[in-house]
PDB file of all heavy atoms in Angstrom:
ATOM      1  N   ASN A 317      92.237  89.673 106.779  1.00  0.00           N
ATOM      2  CA  ASN A 317      91.643  89.805 105.447  1.00  0.00           C
ATOM      3  C   ASN A 317      92.680  90.404 104.506  1.00  0.00           C
ATOM      4  O   ASN A 317      92.863  91.620 104.455  1.00  0.00           O
ATOM      5  CB  ASN A 317      90.397  90.694 105.493  1.00  0.00           C
ATOM      6  CG  ASN A 317      89.750  90.863 104.127  1.00  0.00           C
ATOM      7  OD1 ASN A 317      90.113  90.175 103.166  1.00  0.00           O
ATOM      8  ND2 ASN A 317      88.810  91.787 104.012  1.00  0.00           N
ATOM      9  N   PRO A 318      93.412  89.562 103.750  1.00  0.00           N
ATOM     10  CA  PRO A 318      94.479  90.072 102.875  1.00  0.00           C
ATOM     11  C   PRO A 318      94.005  91.101 101.854  1.00  0.00           C
ATOM     12  O   PRO A 318      94.811  91.878 101.352  1.00  0.00           O
ATOM     13  CB  PRO A 318      94.991  88.802 102.188  1.00  0.00           C
ATOM     14  CG  PRO A 318      94.654  87.686 103.114  1.00  0.00           C
ATOM     15  CD  PRO A 318      93.353  88.083 103.741  1.00  0.00           C
ATOM     16  N   ALA A 319      92.724  91.114 101.544  1.00  0.00           N
ATOM     17  CA  ALA A 319      92.205  92.051 100.551  1.00  0.00           C
ATOM     18  C   ALA A 319      91.798  93.392 101.161  1.00  0.00           C
ATOM     19  O   ALA A 319      91.335  94.287 100.445  1.00  0.00           O
ATOM     20  CB  ALA A 319      91.006  91.437  99.828  1.00  0.00           C
ATOM     21  N   PHE A 320      91.975  93.543 102.479  1.00  0.00           N
ATOM     22  CA  PHE A 320      91.508  94.765 103.139  1.00  0.00           C
ATOM     23  C   PHE A 320      92.287  95.982 102.657  1.00  0.00           C
ATOM     24  O   PHE A 320      93.511  95.965 102.543  1.00  0.00           O
ATOM     25  CB  PHE A 320      91.668  94.648 104.659  1.00  0.00           C
ATOM     26  CG  PHE A 320      91.471  95.956 105.375  1.00  0.00           C
ATOM     27  CD1 PHE A 320      90.200  96.453 105.581  1.00  0.00           C
ATOM     28  CD2 PHE A 320      92.562  96.703 105.815  1.00  0.00           C
ATOM     29  CE1 PHE A 320      90.007  97.668 106.227  1.00  0.00           C
ATOM     30  CE2 PHE A 320      92.384  97.913 106.467  1.00  0.00           C
ATOM     31  CZ  PHE A 320      91.101  98.397 106.675  1.00  0.00           C
ATOM     32  N   THR A 321      91.566  97.049 102.375  1.00  0.00           N
ATOM     33  CA  THR A 321      92.154  98.350 102.081  1.00  0.00           C
ATOM     34  C   THR A 321      91.144  99.427 102.464  1.00  0.00           C
ATOM     35  O   THR A 321      89.941  99.267 102.213  1.00  0.00           O
ATOM     36  CB  THR A 321      92.531  98.487 100.595  1.00  0.00           C
ATOM     37  OG1 THR A 321      92.897  99.847 100.322  1.00  0.00           O
ATOM     38  CG2 THR A 321      91.383  98.106  99.685  1.00  0.00           C
ATOM     39  N   PRO A 322      91.575 100.517 103.091  1.00  0.00           N
ATOM     40  CA  PRO A 322      90.631 101.580 103.453  1.00  0.00           C
ATOM     41  C   PRO A 322      89.921 102.183 102.257  1.00  0.00           C
ATOM     42  O   PRO A 322      88.817 102.736 102.396  1.00  0.00           O
ATOM     43  CB  PRO A 322      91.523 102.611 104.158  1.00  0.00           C
ATOM     44  CG  PRO A 322      92.702 101.835 104.659  1.00  0.00           C
ATOM     45  CD  PRO A 322      92.933 100.781 103.623  1.00  0.00           C
ATOM     46  N   ASN A 323      90.546 102.093 101.061  1.00  0.00           N
ATOM     47  CA  ASN A 323      89.931 102.710  99.876  1.00  0.00           C
ATOM     48  C   ASN A 323      88.568 102.126  99.553  1.00  0.00           C
ATOM     49  O   ASN A 323      87.671 102.845  99.089  1.00  0.00           O
ATOM     50  CB  ASN A 323      90.859 102.542  98.671  1.00  0.00           C
ATOM     51  CG  ASN A 323      92.228 103.146  98.902  1.00  0.00           C
ATOM     52  OD1 ASN A 323      93.168 102.450  99.235  1.00  0.00           O
ATOM     53  ND2 ASN A 323      92.346 104.455  98.767  1.00  0.00           N
ATOM     54  N   GLN A 324      88.390 100.816  99.800  1.00  0.00           N
ATOM     55  CA  GLN A 324      87.119 100.212  99.462  1.00  0.00           C
ATOM     56  C   GLN A 324      85.993 100.682 100.371  1.00  0.00           C
ATOM     57  O   GLN A 324      84.819 100.427 100.098  1.00  0.00           O
ATOM     58  CB  GLN A 324      87.234  98.688  99.516  1.00  0.00           C
ATOM     59  CG  GLN A 324      87.505  98.123 100.893  1.00  0.00           C
ATOM     60  CD  GLN A 324      87.814  96.638 100.873  1.00  0.00           C
ATOM     61  OE1 GLN A 324      88.844  96.187 101.341  1.00  0.00           O
ATOM     62  NE2 GLN A 324      86.887  95.853 100.343  1.00  0.00           N
ATOM     63  N   TYR A 325      86.355 101.389 101.453  1.00  0.00           N
ATOM     64  CA  TYR A 325      85.346 101.963 102.358  1.00  0.00           C
ATOM     65  C   TYR A 325      85.299 103.492 102.250  1.00  0.00           C
ATOM     66  O   TYR A 325      84.735 104.159 103.112  1.00  0.00           O
ATOM     67  CB  TYR A 325      85.627 101.539 103.793  1.00  0.00           C
ATOM     68  CG  TYR A 325      85.558 100.039 103.980  1.00  0.00           C
ATOM     69  CD1 TYR A 325      86.713  99.261 103.971  1.00  0.00           C
ATOM     70  CD2 TYR A 325      84.333  99.389 104.137  1.00  0.00           C
ATOM     71  CE1 TYR A 325      86.656  97.883 104.112  1.00  0.00           C
ATOM     72  CE2 TYR A 325      84.264  98.018 104.286  1.00  0.00           C
ATOM     73  CZ  TYR A 325      85.432  97.269 104.268  1.00  0.00           C
ATOM     74  OH  TYR A 325      85.370  95.900 104.418  1.00  0.00           O
ATOM     75  N   GLY A 326      85.935 104.023 101.184  1.00  0.00           N
ATOM     76  CA  GLY A 326      85.848 105.448 100.916  1.00  0.00           C
ATOM     77  C   GLY A 326      86.883 106.307 101.613  1.00  0.00           C
ATOM     78  O   GLY A 326      86.743 107.535 101.642  1.00  0.00           O
ATOM     79  N   HIS A 327      87.964 105.706 102.162  1.00  0.00           N
ATOM     80  CA  HIS A 327      88.981 106.457 102.896  1.00  0.00           C
ATOM     81  C   HIS A 327      90.318 106.384 102.167  1.00  0.00           C
ATOM     82  O   HIS A 327      90.667 105.362 101.564  1.00  0.00           O
ATOM     83  CB  HIS A 327      89.129 105.909 104.316  1.00  0.00           C
ATOM     84  CG  HIS A 327      87.869 105.947 105.111  1.00  0.00           C
ATOM     85  ND1 HIS A 327      87.437 107.067 105.798  1.00  0.00           N
ATOM     86  CD2 HIS A 327      86.918 104.992 105.312  1.00  0.00           C
ATOM     87  CE1 HIS A 327      86.290 106.799 106.398  1.00  0.00           C
ATOM     88  NE2 HIS A 327      85.948 105.550 106.122  1.00  0.00           N
ATOM     89  N   ALA A 328      91.079 107.481 102.252  1.00  0.00           N
ATOM     90  CA  ALA A 328      92.364 107.544 101.561  1.00  0.00           C
ATOM     91  C   ALA A 328      93.421 106.675 102.228  1.00  0.00           C
ATOM     92  O   ALA A 328      94.367 106.235 101.586  1.00  0.00           O
ATOM     93  CB  ALA A 328      92.850 108.990 101.498  1.00  0.00           C
ATOM     94  N   GLY A 329      93.309 106.440 103.521  1.00  0.00           N
ATOM     95  CA  GLY A 329      94.282 105.638 104.250  1.00  0.00           C
ATOM     96  C   GLY A 329      93.720 105.223 105.591  1.00  0.00           C
ATOM     97  O   GLY A 329      92.614 105.627 105.990  1.00  0.00           O
ATOM     98  N   LEU A 330      94.497 104.423 106.327  1.00  0.00           N
ATOM     99  CA  LEU A 330      94.012 103.907 107.608  1.00  0.00           C
ATOM    100  C   LEU A 330      93.835 105.013 108.632  1.00  0.00           C
ATOM    101  O   LEU A 330      92.879 105.000 109.407  1.00  0.00           O
ATOM    102  CB  LEU A 330      94.982 102.842 108.129  1.00  0.00           C
ATOM    103  CG  LEU A 330      94.564 102.132 109.427  1.00  0.00           C
ATOM    104  CD1 LEU A 330      93.202 101.450 109.263  1.00  0.00           C
ATOM    105  CD2 LEU A 330      95.619 101.107 109.847  1.00  0.00           C
ATOM    106  N   LEU A 331      94.739 105.993 108.644  1.00  0.00           N
ATOM    107  CA  LEU A 331      94.614 107.097 109.601  1.00  0.00           C
ATOM    108  C   LEU A 331      93.327 107.871 109.361  1.00  0.00           C
ATOM    109  O   LEU A 331      92.589 108.176 110.303  1.00  0.00           O
ATOM    110  CB  LEU A 331      95.831 108.014 109.487  1.00  0.00           C
ATOM    111  CG  LEU A 331      95.834 109.240 110.410  1.00  0.00           C
ATOM    112  CD1 LEU A 331      95.792 108.815 111.874  1.00  0.00           C
ATOM    113  CD2 LEU A 331      97.048 110.114 110.145  1.00  0.00           C
ATOM    114  N   GLN A 332      93.053 108.188 108.097  1.00  0.00           N
ATOM    115  CA  GLN A 332      91.818 108.913 107.785  1.00  0.00           C
ATOM    116  C   GLN A 332      90.596 108.066 108.130  1.00  0.00           C
ATOM    117  O   GLN A 332      89.567 108.597 108.583  1.00  0.00           O
ATOM    118  CB  GLN A 332      91.791 109.289 106.303  1.00  0.00           C
ATOM    119  CG  GLN A 332      92.764 110.384 105.901  1.00  0.00           C
ATOM    120  CD  GLN A 332      94.213 109.913 105.856  1.00  0.00           C
ATOM    121  OE1 GLN A 332      94.458 108.710 105.795  1.00  0.00           O
ATOM    122  NE2 GLN A 332      95.145 110.848 105.908  1.00  0.00           N
ATOM    123  N   MET A 333      90.697 106.768 107.943  1.00  0.00           N
ATOM    124  CA  MET A 333      89.583 105.887 108.259  1.00  0.00           C
ATOM    125  C   MET A 333      89.300 105.900 109.760  1.00  0.00           C
ATOM    126  O   MET A 333      88.148 105.986 110.196  1.00  0.00           O
ATOM    127  CB  MET A 333      89.914 104.472 107.796  1.00  0.00           C
ATOM    128  CG  MET A 333      88.775 103.474 107.916  1.00  0.00           C
ATOM    129  SD  MET A 333      89.265 101.857 107.278  1.00  0.00           S
ATOM    130  CE  MET A 333      87.652 101.075 107.085  1.00  0.00           C
ATOM    131  N   LEU A 334      90.359 105.830 110.575  1.00  0.00           N
ATOM    132  CA  LEU A 334      90.174 105.809 112.021  1.00  0.00           C
ATOM    133  C   LEU A 334      89.646 107.133 112.541  1.00  0.00           C
ATOM    134  O   LEU A 334      88.943 107.169 113.561  1.00  0.00           O
ATOM    135  CB  LEU A 334      91.491 105.461 112.704  1.00  0.00           C
ATOM    136  CG  LEU A 334      92.025 104.050 112.441  1.00  0.00           C
ATOM    137  CD1 LEU A 334      93.398 103.876 113.073  1.00  0.00           C
ATOM    138  CD2 LEU A 334      91.068 102.997 112.959  1.00  0.00           C
ATOM    139  N   LYS A 335      89.954 108.231 111.869  1.00  0.00           N
ATOM    140  CA  LYS A 335      89.439 109.536 112.300  1.00  0.00           C
ATOM    141  C   LYS A 335      87.922 109.610 112.194  1.00  0.00           C
ATOM    142  O   LYS A 335      87.292 110.428 112.878  1.00  0.00           O
ATOM    143  CB  LYS A 335      90.083 110.651 111.473  1.00  0.00           C
ATOM    144  CG  LYS A 335      91.538 110.920 111.834  1.00  0.00           C
ATOM    145  CD  LYS A 335      92.119 112.043 110.988  1.00  0.00           C
ATOM    146  CE  LYS A 335      93.557 112.342 111.386  1.00  0.00           C
ATOM    147  NZ  LYS A 335      94.166 113.417 110.566  1.00  0.00           N
ATOM    148  N   SER A 336      87.334 108.763 111.346  1.00  0.00           N
ATOM    149  CA  SER A 336      85.878 108.780 111.207  1.00  0.00           C
ATOM    150  C   SER A 336      85.182 108.122 112.396  1.00  0.00           C
ATOM    151  O   SER A 336      83.963 108.221 112.535  1.00  0.00           O
ATOM    152  CB  SER A 336      85.469 108.087 109.901  1.00  0.00           C
ATOM    153  OG  SER A 336      85.758 106.697 109.952  1.00  0.00           O
ATOM    154  N   TYR A 337      85.951 107.444 113.255  1.00  0.00           N
ATOM    155  CA  TYR A 337      85.388 106.832 114.468  1.00  0.00           C
ATOM    156  C   TYR A 337      85.573 107.781 115.662  1.00  0.00           C
ATOM    157  O   TYR A 337      85.991 107.361 116.736  1.00  0.00           O
ATOM    158  CB  TYR A 337      86.098 105.509 114.775  1.00  0.00           C
ATOM    159  CG  TYR A 337      85.910 104.409 113.771  1.00  0.00           C
ATOM    160  CD1 TYR A 337      86.664 104.367 112.597  1.00  0.00           C
ATOM    161  CD2 TYR A 337      84.994 103.382 113.989  1.00  0.00           C
ATOM    162  CE1 TYR A 337      86.511 103.344 111.668  1.00  0.00           C
ATOM    163  CE2 TYR A 337      84.834 102.355 113.067  1.00  0.00           C
ATOM    164  CZ  TYR A 337      85.592 102.344 111.908  1.00  0.00           C
ATOM    165  OH  TYR A 337      85.437 101.328 111.005  1.00  0.00           O
ATOM    166  N   GLU A 338      85.281 109.046 115.474  1.00  0.00           N
ATOM    167  CA  GLU A 338      85.594 110.038 116.505  1.00  0.00           C
ATOM    168  C   GLU A 338      84.879 109.788 117.828  1.00  0.00           C
ATOM    169  O   GLU A 338      85.361 110.188 118.890  1.00  0.00           O
ATOM    170  CB  GLU A 338      85.270 111.454 115.993  1.00  0.00           C
ATOM    171  CG  GLU A 338      83.789 111.755 115.763  1.00  0.00           C
ATOM    172  CD  GLU A 338      83.298 111.271 114.409  1.00  0.00           C
ATOM    173  OE1 GLU A 338      84.117 110.738 113.638  1.00  0.00           O
ATOM    174  OE2 GLU A 338      82.083 111.404 114.138  1.00  0.00           O
ATOM    175  N   GLN A 339      83.730 109.128 117.808  1.00  0.00           N
ATOM    176  CA  GLN A 339      82.999 108.863 119.049  1.00  0.00           C
ATOM    177  C   GLN A 339      83.478 107.598 119.756  1.00  0.00           C
ATOM    178  O   GLN A 339      83.199 107.418 120.942  1.00  0.00           O
ATOM    179  CB  GLN A 339      81.501 108.755 118.763  1.00  0.00           C
ATOM    180  CG  GLN A 339      80.884 110.046 118.257  1.00  0.00           C
ATOM    181  CD  GLN A 339      79.384 109.902 118.055  1.00  0.00           C
ATOM    182  OE1 GLN A 339      78.832 108.815 118.143  1.00  0.00           O
ATOM    183  NE2 GLN A 339      78.713 111.016 117.776  1.00  0.00           N
ATOM    184  N   GLN A 340      84.189 106.730 119.045  1.00  0.00           N
ATOM    185  CA  GLN A 340      84.619 105.461 119.620  1.00  0.00           C
ATOM    186  C   GLN A 340      86.122 105.390 119.885  1.00  0.00           C
ATOM    187  O   GLN A 340      86.550 104.743 120.836  1.00  0.00           O
ATOM    188  CB  GLN A 340      84.244 104.290 118.701  1.00  0.00           C
ATOM    189  CG  GLN A 340      82.749 104.146 118.489  1.00  0.00           C
ATOM    190  CD  GLN A 340      82.309 104.798 117.196  1.00  0.00           C
ATOM    191  OE1 GLN A 340      83.013 105.618 116.625  1.00  0.00           O
ATOM    192  NE2 GLN A 340      81.127 104.429 116.721  1.00  0.00           N
ATOM    193  N   LEU A 341      86.926 106.042 119.045  1.00  0.00           N
ATOM    194  CA  LEU A 341      88.374 105.882 119.111  1.00  0.00           C
ATOM    195  C   LEU A 341      89.066 107.214 119.346  1.00  0.00           C
ATOM    196  O   LEU A 341      88.579 108.271 118.948  1.00  0.00           O
ATOM    197  CB  LEU A 341      88.895 105.256 117.819  1.00  0.00           C
ATOM    198  CG  LEU A 341      88.321 103.891 117.435  1.00  0.00           C
ATOM    199  CD1 LEU A 341      88.892 103.425 116.100  1.00  0.00           C
ATOM    200  CD2 LEU A 341      88.569 102.861 118.523  1.00  0.00           C
ATOM    201  N   SER A 342      90.216 107.125 119.984  1.00  0.00           N
ATOM    202  CA  SER A 342      91.045 108.302 120.244  1.00  0.00           C
ATOM    203  C   SER A 342      92.403 108.099 119.584  1.00  0.00           C
ATOM    204  O   SER A 342      93.067 107.084 119.821  1.00  0.00           O
ATOM    205  CB  SER A 342      91.218 108.508 121.754  1.00  0.00           C
ATOM    206  OG  SER A 342      92.102 109.589 122.011  1.00  0.00           O
ATOM    207  N   LEU A 343      92.812 109.044 118.751  1.00  0.00           N
ATOM    208  CA  LEU A 343      94.083 108.981 118.046  1.00  0.00           C
ATOM    209  C   LEU A 343      95.093 109.915 118.694  1.00  0.00           C
ATOM    210  O   LEU A 343      94.751 111.007 119.147  1.00  0.00           O
ATOM    211  CB  LEU A 343      93.893 109.360 116.573  1.00  0.00           C
ATOM    212  CG  LEU A 343      93.167 108.332 115.702  1.00  0.00           C
ATOM    213  CD1 LEU A 343      92.694 108.981 114.412  1.00  0.00           C
ATOM    214  CD2 LEU A 343      94.069 107.156 115.400  1.00  0.00           C
ATOM    215  N   LYS A 344      96.354 109.475 118.709  1.00  0.00           N
ATOM    216  CA  LYS A 344      97.420 110.283 119.309  1.00  0.00           C
ATOM    217  C   LYS A 344      98.700 110.105 118.508  1.00  0.00           C
ATOM    218  O   LYS A 344      99.075 108.990 118.164  1.00  0.00           O
ATOM    219  CB  LYS A 344      97.656 109.856 120.766  1.00  0.00           C
ATOM    220  CG  LYS A 344      98.780 110.615 121.454  1.00  0.00           C
ATOM    221  CD  LYS A 344      99.002 110.108 122.861  1.00  0.00           C
ATOM    222  CE  LYS A 344     100.161 110.845 123.527  1.00  0.00           C
ATOM    223  NZ  LYS A 344     100.412 110.321 124.904  1.00  0.00           N
ATOM    224  N   GLN A 345      99.369 111.238 118.222  1.00  0.00           N
ATOM    225  CA  GLN A 345     100.654 111.169 117.534  1.00  0.00           C
ATOM    226  C   GLN A 345     101.768 111.033 118.563  1.00  0.00           C
ATOM    227  O   GLN A 345     101.899 111.854 119.475  1.00  0.00           O
ATOM    228  CB  GLN A 345     100.882 112.398 116.665  1.00  0.00           C
ATOM    229  CG  GLN A 345     102.099 112.281 115.758  1.00  0.00           C
ATOM    230  CD  GLN A 345     102.143 113.347 114.684  1.00  0.00           C
ATOM    231  OE1 GLN A 345     101.482 114.387 114.818  1.00  0.00           O
ATOM    232  NE2 GLN A 345     102.892 113.110 113.618  1.00  0.00           N
ATOM    233  N   GLU A 346     102.540 109.979 118.431  1.00  0.00           N
ATOM    234  CA  GLU A 346     103.601 109.675 119.390  1.00  0.00           C
ATOM    235  C   GLU A 346     104.842 110.526 119.112  1.00  0.00           C
ATOM    236  O   GLU A 346     104.997 111.102 118.033  1.00  0.00           O
ATOM    237  CB  GLU A 346     103.953 108.194 119.313  1.00  0.00           C
ATOM    238  CG  GLU A 346     102.782 107.259 119.590  1.00  0.00           C
ATOM    239  CD  GLU A 346     102.279 107.363 121.024  1.00  0.00           C
ATOM    240  OE1 GLU A 346     103.056 107.787 121.906  1.00  0.00           O
ATOM    241  OE2 GLU A 346     101.101 107.029 121.258  1.00  0.00           O
ATOM    242  N   PRO A 347     105.763 110.634 120.091  1.00  0.00           N
ATOM    243  CA  PRO A 347     106.991 111.426 119.898  1.00  0.00           C
ATOM    244  C   PRO A 347     107.818 111.001 118.686  1.00  0.00           C
ATOM    245  O   PRO A 347     108.522 111.807 118.093  1.00  0.00           O
ATOM    246  CB  PRO A 347     107.758 111.191 121.206  1.00  0.00           C
ATOM    247  CG  PRO A 347     106.699 110.893 122.215  1.00  0.00           C
ATOM    248  CD  PRO A 347     105.649 110.133 121.468  1.00  0.00           C
ATOM    249  N   ASN A 348     107.758 109.718 118.317  1.00  0.00           N
ATOM    250  CA  ASN A 348     108.533 109.237 117.163  1.00  0.00           C
ATOM    251  C   ASN A 348     107.865 109.562 115.834  1.00  0.00           C
ATOM    252  O   ASN A 348     108.369 109.183 114.773  1.00  0.00           O
ATOM    253  CB  ASN A 348     108.771 107.731 117.279  1.00  0.00           C
ATOM    254  CG  ASN A 348     107.480 106.926 117.284  1.00  0.00           C
ATOM    255  OD1 ASN A 348     106.380 107.495 117.162  1.00  0.00           O
ATOM    256  ND2 ASN A 348     107.585 105.627 117.427  1.00  0.00           N
TER     257      ASN A 348
END
């Protein structure tokens, strides 16, 4: 979906958007 942006769903960015899925997804910061 070329028009996709997290802002249209109320999130500042993709990382913040994924944090809202705390029960479904696990986020991890890599060494890089």
Side-chain angles (χ1 to χ4, degrees):
N317 180 10
F320 168 77
T321 171
N323 302 99
Q324 65 188 124
Y325 298 98
H327 302 276
L330 184 58
L331 179 60
Q332 289 74 18
M333 187 178 196
L334 294 175
K335 287 180 178 179
S336 67
Y337 295 81
E338 67 277 358
Q339 296 183 352
Q340 298 97 342
L341 302 178
S342 176
L343 288 164
K344 178 183 178 182
Q345 189 167 20
E346 301 294 336
N348 62 2

